[in-house]
Every structure is written in C-alpha cells, then in structure tokens.
Amino acid sequence: MKILIVDDNAEGVNTLVKPGDASPNAVTAVGPLARFFRQWISLELPLPLPRPTRYMLAIAIFGAAVAVRFLVLPIEAGVGFITFYPATVFSALLLGSGPGMVTMLLGSAAIQYIFMTPHWSLKITFDQILMQAIYITSGTVICLIVEQTFRRTMEAREAHRDLDAAYARLKDIDKLKSMFIASMSHELRTPLNSIIGFSKVLSNEWAGPLNDEQRDNLAIISRAGKHLLGLINDVIDVSKIEAGKMEIRLEKFDLAEVQSELYEMMNKEALERGLVLKMEVPSCRMHTDRQRLSQCLLNLISNGLKYTEQGSVYVRTLLPAGSGNDRTGYLLIIVEDTGIGISGEDAKSLFTPFVRFNSRLYIKEKGTGLGLYLTKKLATQVLRGDILYEPRPEGGSKFILAIPETIYKVSDSPDIHAPETTTKPFART
Amino acid sequence: MEKVLVIEDNPDNFRLISYPLKRAGYGVEWAENGLNGLKMVLANSFHYVLLDIGLPDVDGLEVARKIRDVEKDVPIIAITSYAMAGDREKALAAGCNGYIEKPIDTESIIATIEAILRVK
C-alpha cells in the first residue's frame, strides 16, 4: 500500500511516516513470464492464520474432499470438478508458497487417477494423461485467479484501514497544532505584557523625566508591543476556534450599549486620524455572545479607520423585517468607509489569513493579517451569522455583518452618534 | 498609609503593579509565593490583598480560601488571566471581592481597585 504525501514541509511528512515505514517499496521491472512464476511461487491466501493452523486446515479440507469424492463417486463418475476439485484448490491455496501447492495439486491428481481407475492396471491411456494435465493446468489457473481476487480484496480493506488511521493521525496532529499554538501564545504574552507595561511606566515618567527622543523611541516600543499583542490575541482566538475550544457566552443585552461603548472607544482614534465616525444606534435587545459581537464590530470599524485617509466611517444597523417586537430574520450591521476599498480580485481573498494587498495604505498600515479572517470565523461560528463584503460604487468598502439570534425588543427611535458639526458624507438610501 | 500585599510569583509583574500603587499613596509589600503570602497576611494587617491566581506553589484560589478562613474581612482582589475564562467566576466563588485581568493596565488599575473596594 502506498500513500502519496503532498507537503512542502519535510517535518510534516516525517511525523506521518512511522519509523518502520520509511523505506519506500522498490518498484522493479520484471518480464510477464518472470512475474508469472514469481507469483506462482508465492501464491498463498493472505489469511491471518498461523502456519500450523493453515496446514491442519488444508489437510482437513483435503481429507473431507477425498471422503466425499469416494462417497459420491457414482454420481460424479469420471469428473472430480464438483466437490473434489474446489476443495483441492482451496487447500492448495491454504498450503501456499509454490512447493506445497504443487504437491497438493499433483497429489490430488494422483488420487483422482486412482479413483477413476477402479481396476488397477499399469496401462495408462493418453486420455487419462490428457485429463490429468488439464486437471493440473486448470487447477493452477484457478488458484491464480482465486488468490489474486482474494489478495486484492484484502489489500483494499487494509488500504482503507491505513487511510482511516492516517486520517485520524492527521486530525490529531492538527488538534495538537492548535493546542500548541494556544499555549505557546499564552507564554508569549507574559513577557510581552511586561514590555508594554513598563513602556507605559516609563512614558508616564513615573520613573523619571524623559527627553523627546526617548519619548519617541518609547512610543515605538510600545506600539510594536501592542501590535504583537494584538497578533497573539488573534492567533489565540483563531486557534481556539479551529480546535473547537471557543466557548460561546450567550448574554442578553442591548445592542445600543455595545455600539455606544465602541463609539466611545473608536471616536478618539477617528479624531486622531482626522476622520469622522458616525454611528446609528438603534435600541435592540439581543441574545448572543456580547463580547464576540463587540470584537467583530471593533475589527470592522478599526479596519475602516485604518484604510481611510479622508472622509468617514459610517456604521448603521438594519433591524430584521417586521414591526415593533415581532421581527424575524437577520439583523444587519453595515460598516462603510470612504477609504481605498478593495478591488474585485483582492476581495476574493479578503477573508483569507495573512493575505497582503499591494496598495500603499495597506503596506503602511500593518495589520495582523488575521483580523478579517478571525472576524469571519467569529461571525459564522460564534455568532452563527455571516459577514459579507461589497465594494461601494462611489469608492470605499462596505462590510455587512449579519446576525441571526433572538431579538427581544426594539425601540423605534434610534440614537445617532456623530460629531455635531459634520457634513454628511453618506447619502441616505 | 494603607498597606497592600501583592502575592505574585513574577517579580516583573509585581514591580509593574507596585508603580501605580505607590504613586496612589499605598504602601506595597510583596509575597513571592502563596505560602509566604498566607504567613504575611496572618502576621500583619493589610488593607487589601492583590492575589495572582496562577501561583506555582499553592493554587491562588486555595490561598484565597485559606485567607477567608482566618482573616474574614480583608478585601482580596484576584489577578486573573484574560485567557483563562473560568478563573474569574472561580475567584469570586473562593471569596475574592473582585478581579483585575492580566494584562495589567497600569493606568486604570487604581480606578478598578478603588471601584472594587467601594463596592465592598
């Protein structure tokens, strides 16, 4: 049985191959005749039986066949093909490995001959010789066919079993990978927290005054540390989801609270970047994983801010169809920006991890490479909804987060979070 | 001056926590493992205890329970890890008054602690 392992990583292959399996079977070219003889010599039913059992079984079958042959002689007169012949072939195959089988066939031919010659005579006719020759030749052919069919079946079954085992092993390895990444990331986080924490102690001048250059350098350390921490947190979340260990914490809450918190958090960043963050916040009771919903929205909004140089990021919520509290279907949260957007080709790999787009802004604003991948995973596997991307015709991106789940109570007047003196960058549709 | 005991095995973490505490006017003392922490709680009177849940010798939760057995009133604030989701609930069940999460935010730690102490 052979398995082809396609893997660019030699380590990965080694873990799949047991030490004993390492040498691949040599494939040698043999002529058809040589192959025939080799097969003949090695003919043996691939039954998982120890040798003594095989021999005893072969002799028992053969003995029984002789007895039957003797008893039914009047009926089977002249032809041993009904009982004696199959039994002989089967016991020959049980004995296997050439000589045993040849002996068995020749022996059975001899017995056949004795049975068929009721009055012992030394005169052997040509007919009789021809008949025994046919008997042995056809016996050989039948042995070959039976053995080959049987072997194929057994091999197929074994191959199936091996594949199952390999598959189980792969799944184990994959799980191990996710667990390794999760615990590794946890270990990475401890020293990283020291780096970030002490950068803050220094930049707060708790340990003494700083000059401008020191302050700038410290800001770089802090930024790099936070970037790394974000990456590690994303990796932990992704590996948790992939290992099936992400716990879903259902909570009842008002969507408006979550969105207001996010607005507080992100508006500061928007202002720093000279952008406008506008948020329509309807009051809507929900029952889902609050923290993960917040994380999805945070990722979408911060992406919007990151990849927009001027203009705004606009978040609005479309409540499910229906009126009042009687609504069914998906709640849609739409995050739009007036940024550089993502072109048609790139949009296809938008939710793939570590895909980088070749635009100046995408190169400048280093993301973790996991943000949208994780957001998609969270949206589909934790929130049980989905996330879609649409380019805006007038430029920029539009992400739609669709969430099913129970919605209790909807209030009719939405709050709007937006700076007061801004022109509306988005035409309402 | 109010005295705080920090039971934390990682010296870097202790140092980090002690900065904002000292600046806020607390007297900070350090126990580097659960056993010493217990001894110090018994020998001195602290105004509150910051307790790392992931201690190497005695489980932090066990330390909290032991403190509760002898020192009924001292507020205990658990330091839990963001990654260990169940720790917060376990910490509260073991008798802690509240928790702060790692990574420790040096800027908001005082406010968080004071909020917990006020609730108590």
Side-chain angles (χ1 to χ4, degrees):
Chain A
M1 215 261 316
K2 295 198 190 82
I3 300 177
L4 176 65
I5 301 171
V6 184
D7 191 340
D8 60 340
N9 181 353
E11 295 296 313
V13 175
N14 283 340
T15 54
L16 289 177
V17 180
K18 283 182 288 185
D21 297 347
S23 63
N25 287 338
V27 180
T28 48
V30 283
L33 198 65
R35 198 182 309 145
F36 177 82
F37 278 113
R38 229 175 54 179
Q39 270 182 347
W40 168 241
I41 291 298
S42 68
L43 271 192
E44 190 174 325
L45 280 188
L47 281 174
L49 290 175
R51 259 176 198 270
T53 320
R54 267 170 186 277
Y55 291 157
M56 273 155 63
L57 202 62
I59 291 164
I61 291 171
F62 189 68
V66 171
V68 170
R69 175 73 183 136
F70 183 71
L71 288 174
V72 297
L73 193 60
I75 311 165
E76 270 199 77
V79 193
F81 289 88
I82 298 172
T83 54
F84 191 57
Y85 195 65
T88 308
V89 168
F90 189 66
S91 52
L93 279 169
L94 272 177
L95 281 181
S97 293
M101 192 152 45
V102 174
T103 318
M104 180 61 85
L105 278 173
L106 287 176
S108 79
I111 291 173
Q112 181 87 348
Y113 175 71
I114 294 162
F115 276 134
M116 286 169 60
T117 319
H119 307 294
W120 180 253
S121 81
L122 287 171
K123 199 179 80 191
I124 302 171
T125 63
F126 176 72
D127 279 6
Q128 282 168 334
I129 292 174
L130 185 66
M131 187 142 179
Q132 295 316 313
I134 292 171
Y135 183 88
I136 290 171
T137 317
S138 58
T140 308
V141 173
I142 290 174
C143 272
L144 270 174
I145 294 170
V146 170
E147 196 266 355
Q148 282 298 306
T149 317
F150 203 86
R151 188 178 294 276
R152 294 263 157 79
T153 318
M154 297 296 279
E155 274 176 1
R157 196 175 296 170
E158 202 169 301
H160 198 263
R161 236 193 343 255
D162 284 3
L163 270 180
D164 278 353
Y167 180 65
R169 215 141 103 208
L170 267 178
K171 265 183 30 186
D172 282 354
I173 290 169
D174 192 57
K175 215 167 216 169
L176 208 67
K177 177 209 77 178
S178 292
M179 274 163 58
F180 174 77
I181 290 175
S183 51
M184 183 69 203
S185 307
H186 185 62
E187 294 303 315
L188 288 172
R189 214 151 47 166
T190 311
L192 197 51
N193 285 333
S194 286
I195 293 174
I196 296 169
F198 282 99
S199 300
K200 212 174 234 172
V201 167
L202 289 175
S203 67
N204 284 347
E205 303 196 320
W206 287 348
L210 294 173
N211 64 34
D212 286 349
E213 192 179 347
Q214 286 166 339
R215 196 187 308 281
D216 289 348
N217 292 342
L218 204 53
I220 292 172
I221 295 176
S222 185
R223 199 164 56 233
K226 278 177 190 160
H227 178 84
L228 195 51
L229 187 63
L231 183 58
I232 291 169
N233 285 340
D234 283 1
V235 166
I236 290 177
D237 284 346
V238 165
S239 60
K240 262 193 203 161
I241 292 179
E242 285 178 352
K245 291 231 171 96
M246 177 64 93
E247 46 184 315
I248 301 173
R249 285 196 233 170
L250 293 178
E251 270 177 77
K252 293 176 183 177
F253 59 92
D254 197 315
L255 179 62
E257 279 172 35
V258 173
Q259 292 191 327
S260 303
E261 277 171 25
L262 285 171
Y263 184 79
E264 290 294 311
M265 210 187 297
M266 301 311 288
N267 193 39
K268 203 176 136 205
E269 194 184 327
L271 293 175
E272 277 169 13
R273 288 172 182 268
L275 300 170
V276 174
L277 175 62
K278 186 166 175 284
M279 231 169 172
E280 263 175 41
V281 181
S283 173
C284 167
R285 297 284 300 169
M286 306 190 65
H287 188 211
T288 184
D289 192 318
R290 179 188 164 131
Q291 194 200 339
R292 298 305 176 182
L293 171 65
S294 175
Q295 191 178 352
C296 282
L297 285 175
L298 183 77
N299 278 348
L300 292 180
I301 297 169
S302 80
N303 269 357
L305 292 173
K306 229 188 261 177
Y307 302 120
T308 302
E309 282 185 306
Q310 48 181 311
S312 57
V313 174
Y314 176 34
V315 184
R316 65 203 158 103
T317 305
L318 298 182
L319 298 170
S323 62
N325 295 336
D326 182 24
R327 291 162 191 264
T328 50
Y330 284 84
L331 175 97
L332 304 181
I333 302 177
I334 299 165
V335 181
E336 289 178 86
D337 64 57
T338 58
I340 47 179
I342 296 135
S343 66
E345 268 309 300
D346 286 347
K348 284 181 195 155
S349 48
L350 196 54
F351 297 106
T352 316
F354 301 117
V355 170
R356 291 257 175 266
F357 300 134
N358 248 342
S359 157
R360 183 180 52 82
L361 199 54
Y362 288 123
I363 292 166
K364 190 185 119 205
E365 292 285 350
K366 282 173 277 191
T368 61
L370 281 169
L372 279 177
Y373 175 67
L374 174 62
T375 310
K376 178 106 182 171
K377 287 249 170 199
L378 287 173
T380 52
Q381 299 193 20
V382 177
L383 303 177
R384 309 264 176 237
D386 204 355
I387 186 163
L388 307 164
Y389 172 77
E390 262 176 32
R392 294 177 71 237
E394 55 273 57
S397 313
K398 177 177 178 183
F399 286 91
I400 304 164
L401 176 65
I403 310 162
E405 278 309 323
T406 339
I407 289 138
Y408 301 114
K409 205 174 158 194
V410 173
S411 117
D412 285 326
S413 55
D415 295 346
I416 296 177
H417 287 272
E420 282 177 12
T421 54
T422 51
T423 48
K424 267 193 186 166
F426 290 90
R428 295 289 301 274
T429 47
Chain B
M1 189 165 66
E2 298 201 320
K3 279 201 301 178
V4 183
L5 177 66
V6 182
I7 309 177
E8 159 72 68
D9 60 298
N10 182 336
D12 295 352
N13 266 352
F14 163 71
R15 198 182 156 109
L16 185 61
I17 294 169
S18 68
Y19 266 103
L21 291 177
K22 281 180 185 158
R23 286 189 60 82
Y26 291 101
V28 186
E29 285 190 43
W30 177 36
E32 74 282 7
N33 58 47
L35 214 59
N36 274 357
L38 263 176
K39 282 183 195 155
M40 287 171 78
V41 171
L42 296 183
N44 306 277
S45 60
F46 288 100
H47 288 86
Y48 63 92
V49 177
L50 285 177
L51 171 65
D52 184 12
I53 291 300
L55 290 172
D57 61 334
V58 195
D59 183 7
L61 299 171
E62 196 52 42
V63 176
R65 277 184 220 111
K66 287 266 159 51
I67 294 176
R68 275 289 165 261
D69 285 346
V70 283
E71 275 274 352
K72 300 277 184 239
D73 292 334
V74 62
I76 307 171
I77 295 163
I79 305 170
T80 60
S81 173
Y82 159 86
M84 306 288 163
D87 273 6
R88 293 160 227 163
E89 291 74 17
K90 282 188 213 150
L92 296 180
C96 297
N97 299 77
Y99 55 84
I100 51 178
E101 285 187 346
K102 282 185 195 169
I104 287 154
D105 184 356
T106 45
E107 289 182 346
S108 65
I109 182 173
I110 296 296
T112 314
I113 289 171
E114 281 173 353
I116 294 170
L117 295 180
R118 261 201 305 278
V119 170
K120 202 230 162 232

